[in-house]
Amino acid sequence: MWNAWNSKVVPVDNPEYVSGGWQQYNQIEAVGNVAGTRAPDVVSRDASGVLWLHQGTGEEPRPSRTG
């Protein structure tokens, strides 16, 4: 996953690599800051239908199972 936006929601010339391993999910959605942390979050679903919350912390993601 790459971050290609700056804090003003404008595309940047040099995207920043965020993390890998996203191929294990069959749906990924940027949902805003649902966890109340300091950054936007991502919710994903795996092939078994389990939802995962990836809290935006500015560090390597450590998803937590939501269902």
Side-chain angles (χ1 to χ4, degrees):
M1 181 174 283
W2 293 81
N3 179 12
W5 302 88
N6 66 16
S7 61
K8 297 178 183 176
V9 192
V10 176
V12 296
D13 293 332
N14 299 318
E16 172 188 11
Y17 180 75
V18 177
S19 67
W22 295 95
Q23 67 276 7
Q24 65 184 314
Y25 304 109
N26 59 16
Q27 187 166 355
I28 301 169
E29 296 291 331
V31 293
N33 189 1
V34 298
T37 56
R38 62 186 176 119
D41 305 318
V42 172
V43 174
S44 61
R45 181 182 67 202
D46 65 23
S48 299
V50 176
L51 295 176
W52 295 86
L53 173 63
H54 308 263
Q55 292 187 28
T57 62
E59 299 180 17
E60 182 71 22
R62 291 185 174 86
S64 56
R65 186 176 176 150
T66 61

